[in-house]
Amino acid sequence: MGHHHHHHGELKGRMVISVILNLTITIAEIIGGILSGSLALLSDSIHNFSDSISLLASYFAVRVGERKANEKYTFGYKRAEILVAFINSAVLIGVSLFLLVEAYRRFKNPEPIDGPLMLVVALIGLLANLLSVLLLHDHAHESMNVRSAYLHLMSDTLSSVAVVIGGILIIEWNVTRVDPLVTVLISLYIMGEGYGILKESVEVLMEASPELDLEAIKAEIESIPSVRNAHHFHAWRIGENEVHFECHVEVEDIPISEAQGIIDEVEERLKKYGITHVTIQLEVEKCTDKGIVCHEEKEGD
C-alpha cells in the first residue's frame, strides 16, 4: 500500500511539472505565432493549451480516483479518470477539426511568415514537450486517463517536430504553404489518436461488456457440481482494470449450507478471466429464460 501511494505521489508530481511546462510553451507559441505569422505555431499553441487543461484534469482525476467509496458513490470514484479521458479525447478531435478549417483558409490565402522566429520558438516547444513525455513515460500504461494525457504530449512532440521542419523549409526555400500543410498533418494525427481513447472511454461509460468469452464462462460455471444452469450475465468495467460480473446460477435442491461453497467456487474459477468482482444469485427453477443475456418481456408481448 505504501509503495502504491508513493507511486501515485510521484505521478502527480510529474503531472504538475508537465502542466507548468505546457503552459509555458503555450504562452511562448502564441507570442511567437502572432509575431511570425505562423499558423502552425498558433495551432501548436492551441494544442499545447488543450494539453495543459487535459493534464490538469487528469491530475485532479487521479486525486479524485483515490477517494474511498461512500454511501453515495458505492463504487468509489474510479470512473472520474474515464470521464476525463473521454473529455480529453473529445476536445482533441474538436481542436483538430478547427485547425483543419484554418489550414484550408491559409492554403487559399498564404501569408508571409518569419521563418527564423518560428524555428526558434518551435525548438523551445520541442525540448519542453520531450521533457514532459519523458516525465510521464513510465506511467503511461497505468490507466486510460494517464495514457490519454501521455498521448496528448506525444502528439505535441510530433507536431513540434513538424513545425521545426516547416520552419527550416520556410527559411531555406520560403515555401509558406508548408505551414498549413504541417497543420493538416498534425490535426489528422491527433484525430486518429484521440478516436481510439474516445471509443474505449465511451464503452466503459456505457457499461459495454469487456472482451470476455461468455460462452466459456457459462461452461465453466455449469461444470461445477450441483449447478444446472448459468444465465442472465452482466459484465461491465467500473474503471479501466476493474471488471465486475454478475449472473443467475440455477442449482439442484441442495442444503443452504452448501450454497456458499458454490459461490466461492464460481468466484475462484472466474479470476482467470480477469474478473475482479463477482455477484451470484442462486436459484432453483425460478427463471424461464435461460439465455446468457436476459431478454425481459414487455407488457402486451
Side-chain angles (χ1 to χ4, degrees), residues 67-78 236 238 242 244 277:
R67 295 171 65 180
K68 295 180 179 178
N70 54 47
E71 290 183 4
K72 184 172 179 63
Y73 295 98
T74 56
F75 284 111
Y77 294 81
K78 293 171 185 175
W236 70 99
I238 297 300
E242 188 173 334
H244 285 228
H277 183 85

Side-chain angles (χ1 to χ4, degrees), residues 7-8 11 138-144 146-147 240-241:
H7 203 58
H8 257 207
L11 169 61
D138 293 339
H139 301 274
H141 64 282
E142 290 177 13
S143 75
M144 194 189 303
V146 178
R147 193 163 72 250
E240 189 173 8
N241 301 309

